[in-house]
Amino acid sequence: MEVNNPKYRNQGIHVVCSIFTVDKGVTKVLLIRRKNEPFKGMWALVGGALYNDEELIDGLKRELKEKTGIENIHLEMANVYSRIDRSPVMRMVAISYIGIVDKNKLSILKETLKTVDCDWFPLDRIPKLAYDHNEILEDAAKLLKERIKKTDMLRYLYPSGFTMPEIQKVYESILGVSFDRRNFRKKLLSLGFIKETNKTERFEGKKPAKIYEFKKQNEIKSIF
Amino acid sequence: MEVNNPKYRNQGIHVVCSIFTVDKGVTKVLLIRRKNEPFKGMWALVGGALYNDEELIDGLKRELKEKTGIENIHLEMANVYSRIDRSPVMRMVAISYIGIVDKNKLSILKETLKTVDCDWFPLDRIPKLAYDHNEILEDAAKLLKERIKKTDMLRYLYPSGFTMPEIQKVYESILGVSFDRRNFRKKLLSLGFIKETNKTERFEGKKPAKIYEFKKQNEIKSIF
DNA sequence: CCAAAAGTGTTAGTCGTACACCCATGT
DNA sequence: ACATGGGTGTACGACTAACACTTTTGG
C-alpha cells in the first residue's frame, strides 16, 4: 500500500446504532437531535466518527454515552454503507449496529454537548433523518425481525425475566403478525433458551402470569 | 465532526474477498502471493485498500482485476474486521466479501504488478496468510455454508446449468454432510428457484442426467 | 359470582426422512 | 447382457397448526 497516494486520504468510519424498544405494544427507536453541522437541528440515529485508536464497538459505545448517557448495553453488527457522498464532510463508510433495550430501565440525556434532544420514535413516525440514516434504520428494522426470529436477541430486552403474554406481544409487535397463545408458548419453550421461575406477575389479566427468564448462554445445551 | 482532530486521521478501508470454487468434490479458495511489503512473499486473500472515490464493491472489483485478472463475478458482503493493529501500515478496517465461481470458466493471472503467484487452495490446506486473513477466511467459509443453505447463492457457480448429482456433490462438499439422492432432489425442486431444461449431460454415470438451471431472479415467485 | 386473561392438552395435517425398485446408457 | 449411476414413489414419524375448556384473580 503506497501510503502517500492521495486516494487513500480523507477516509473515515462512522459507527451508528439503531436502538429499539417496545413500549406498550409499539416498536420504537432512539433518535437524537443534532446540535451541530452538518445536519444541524435534524434528528439522527446515535453514532459518530470512529477514532483511529479504538475498535468499532468501543467507538460506538463512546458515542452512545456522549450523546445519550446510555452505557452497558448489548449491540450487534448490522450493515455497512459506503455511498461516496453519504457524508458532506468527507468520505465516510458507516458500520451499523442494532440493539434492543427496556426503555424503563434506563434514563437518557435530553441534551448533551452534541445534541439538543433525544427521544423514542415509533417506526411508523420517523422524520427525515440526517445522512442516510433513514435507509440505515429501515435495514436495521428488517434485521431486527430476522434476529428475534432466529436468535435469542430478546434476552437483552428482558434482563430480569418476562411473562409469556408480555413477550408474545413483543414478538407480535415487531414482526407484525399474531400467534396462537398455546402454540407460541410451546414453540418458545421448545427452543430451550428460557426457563420457568417460581415468581409471577400480573400483566394484562387479573390472573398472575408466570415469570420466565433467559438461561445464561452457558446454560443452553445443544442437542448433542 | 471536527475534521482536524488527529484521531480521525490515518484511517483506511480494506476490501477483501474469499472466492470459493468446488473442484472435483473439494472446496477451494483463491489466494494470491504478495510481491510487496507488508507481508511480502506471503499468501493472502485477494483485496486491497479502498480509494476515497469508489464504493466498496467497486474497489474490491478493481483490486480483483488488478491482482487476478478476474472480472464480472458476483460478490456479497460477509464481515467486518476492526482490530486496531490488524495492519502494520496504518489503521485499516476491513470489509470482507464472499463469492463462488466455476474455476474452469475463468482464467487467472499467475503474476501481476502486485502478485507473484495465484492459486486455488483446498480449505484444509491453507498456509499462514498475511494480515488477519486466516480469520477472515475461516469466517467466510462458515458464512458460505449458511448462504448456500439459505439462499440460491450457488446460481453463481452454475451460470449455465447443472445436473442433480453434480450440485448435490457440491452441497455435500461444502457442508461436509451427505444427503439421500431422492430427498435432495425433492428438497431442491421444492424451493422453487430452479427449473428443468430439456438438455442432458453425463456426469458420473453412464445414463445422462437432466440439466437444471436457476430461474432468473424475476421468475421466482413468492407464495403469495 | 362474573368477567377477563392465563394456563393446559388433543387432533389433524404437513413436512421431512428413510428406503427399494426401474431406467438409460457405455462397455 | 450387465454394470453403473440416474430417476421416481411410498410409508412412517416428527413437527406445526388449529382449536376448547379449566383456572385464577379483581371487581
Side-chain angles (χ1 to χ4, degrees):
Chain A
M1 179 178 180
E2 328 114 47
V3 182
N4 293 323
N5 185 331
K7 291 210 165 184
Y8 295 132
R9 301 253 167 141
N10 301 314
Q11 303 197 39
I13 317 281
H14 270 148
V15 280
V16 56
C17 59
S18 303
I19 299 180
F20 297 98
T21 196
V22 179
D23 183 21
K24 302 187 194 79
V26 180
T27 311
K28 298 182 177 177
V29 66
L30 187 67
L31 300 177
I32 55 98
R33 200 164 170 187
R34 297 176 58 87
K35 185 179 272 181
N36 306 313
E37 294 295 346
F39 301 106
K40 182 173 173 176
M42 283 183 85
W43 290 93
L45 290 171
V46 184
L50 185 74
Y51 292 160
N52 55 21
D53 62 353
E54 64 190 357
E55 296 228 8
L56 295 173
I57 189 68
D58 300 322
L60 181 53
K61 289 192 170 176
R62 172 182 53 72
E63 288 285 342
L64 187 59
K65 188 177 173 188
E66 271 176 36
K67 290 185 174 154
T68 68
I70 296 174
E71 288 183 82
N72 298 322
I73 72 165
H74 170 84
L75 291 164
E76 28 193 278
M77 198 184 294
N79 290 298
V80 179
Y81 300 84
S82 71
R83 260 212 354 265
I84 295 156
D85 59 355
R86 56 171 299 285
S87 163
V89 179
M90 72 185 224
R91 200 284 162 85
M92 303 293 286
V93 170
I95 321 278
S96 129
Y97 283 72
I98 59 175
I100 188 162
V101 295
D102 182 349
K103 76 190 271 290
N104 302 312
K105 296 229 169 93
L106 47 81
S107 59
I108 53 177
L109 302 172
K110 279 289 180 182
E111 185 170 356
T112 70
L113 256 174
K114 295 182 175 170
T115 64
V116 292
D117 201 356
C118 181
D119 215 339
W120 297 95
F121 284 71
L123 290 186
D124 56 3
R125 263 169 242 168
I126 302 296
K128 171 116 184 58
L129 303 178
Y131 299 100
D132 48 359
H133 288 190
N134 288 91
E135 180 190 355
I136 295 180
L137 174 54
E138 259 178 59
D139 293 345
K142 269 184 213 152
L143 199 60
L144 176 68
K145 291 186 191 188
E146 294 306 308
R147 292 274 166 90
I148 68 164
K149 275 198 274 190
K150 293 180 183 159
T151 75
D152 57 353
M153 183 172 182
L154 280 185
R155 65 165 64 245
Y156 305 104
L157 180 60
Y158 292 120
S160 49
F162 58 89
T163 65
M164 279 291 175
E166 190 179 6
I167 201 172
Q168 179 173 351
K169 239 190 155 176
V170 168
Y171 272 101
E172 292 178 337
S173 160
I174 296 177
L175 298 177
V177 295
S178 56
F179 299 107
D180 177 89
R181 270 187 1 263
R182 297 151 285 196
N183 294 335
F184 177 84
R185 174 185 298 266
K186 267 181 283 183
K187 178 71 183 173
L188 204 60
L189 284 167
S190 78
L191 296 177
F193 48 62
I194 67 170
K195 62 182 181 191
E196 217 175 301
T197 69
N198 51 16
K199 290 171 285 183
T200 61
E201 189 178 57
R202 285 187 48 210
F203 177 55
E204 293 184 330
K206 291 159 187 174
K207 176 174 179 177
K210 283 186 209 165
I211 295 183
Y212 293 82
E213 58 188 31
F214 283 88
K215 295 178 185 173
K216 297 194 186 83
Q217 301 280 8
N218 60 23
E219 281 181 279
I220 301 173
K221 48 180 177 243
S222 80
I223 314 171
F224 300 103
Chain B
M1 182 178 181
E2 328 113 50
V3 182
N4 294 323
N5 185 332
K7 292 209 162 182
Y8 295 132
R9 302 253 165 142
N10 300 314
Q11 303 195 40
I13 317 280
H14 269 147
V15 280
V16 55
C17 61
S18 303
I19 298 180
F20 298 98
T21 196
V22 180
D23 182 22
K24 302 187 193 78
V26 180
T27 311
K28 298 182 177 177
V29 65
L30 187 67
L31 300 177
I32 55 98
R33 201 163 171 187
R34 296 175 59 86
K35 186 180 269 180
N36 307 313
E37 293 295 348
F39 302 107
K40 183 175 174 174
M42 282 183 85
W43 289 93
L45 291 172
V46 184
L50 186 72
Y51 293 158
N52 56 21
D53 62 353
E54 64 189 357
E55 296 229 11
L56 294 173
I57 189 67
D58 299 323
L60 181 53
K61 290 191 171 178
R62 172 182 52 73
E63 287 286 342
L64 187 60
K65 188 177 173 187
E66 271 176 38
K67 290 185 174 154
T68 68
I70 296 175
E71 287 183 84
N72 298 321
I73 72 164
H74 171 83
L75 291 163
E76 26 192 281
M77 198 184 292
N79 290 297
V80 179
Y81 299 84
S82 71
R83 264 216 348 268
I84 295 155
D85 60 353
R86 57 173 298 286
S87 163
V89 179
M90 73 185 221
R91 200 285 162 88
M92 303 293 286
V93 170
I95 321 277
S96 129
Y97 283 72
I98 59 175
I100 189 163
V101 294
D102 182 348
K103 75 190 271 290
N104 302 313
K105 296 227 170 99
L106 48 81
S107 59
I108 54 177
L109 302 173
K110 279 290 181 184
E111 186 169 355
T112 70
L113 256 175
K114 293 183 176 172
T115 63
V116 292
D117 202 357
C118 181
D119 216 340
W120 298 94
F121 285 72
L123 289 185
D124 55 2
R125 263 168 239 167
I126 301 295
K128 171 114 184 57
L129 303 179
Y131 298 98
D132 50 358
H133 288 189
N134 288 91
E135 181 192 353
I136 296 179
L137 174 54
E138 260 178 58
D139 294 345
K142 269 184 212 152
L143 198 61
L144 176 68
K145 291 186 191 186
E146 294 306 308
R147 293 274 168 91
I148 66 163
K149 275 198 275 191
K150 292 177 183 161
T151 75
D152 57 352
M153 185 175 180
L154 279 185
R155 66 165 63 245
Y156 304 104
L157 179 61
Y158 292 120
S160 49
F162 57 90
T163 65
M164 280 291 174
E166 188 179 9
I167 201 170
Q168 179 173 352
K169 241 190 154 174
V170 167
Y171 272 100
E172 291 178 337
S173 160
I174 295 177
L175 299 176
V177 295
S178 56
F179 299 107
D180 177 271
R181 269 184 7 260
R182 297 152 285 196
N183 295 335
F184 177 83
R185 173 185 299 265
K186 265 182 285 182
K187 178 70 182 170
L188 204 61
L189 284 168
S190 79
L191 297 177
F193 47 62
I194 66 170
K195 61 181 182 190
E196 219 176 299
T197 70
N198 51 14
K199 288 172 284 181
T200 60
E201 187 178 60
R202 285 186 49 208
F203 177 54
E204 292 184 331
K206 290 161 186 171
K207 176 174 179 179
K210 282 185 208 165
I211 295 183
Y212 293 82
E213 57 188 31
F214 284 87
K215 294 178 187 172
K216 297 194 187 84
Q217 302 279 8
N218 60 22
E219 280 182 279
I220 301 173
K221 46 178 175 246
S222 79
I223 313 171
F224 301 105

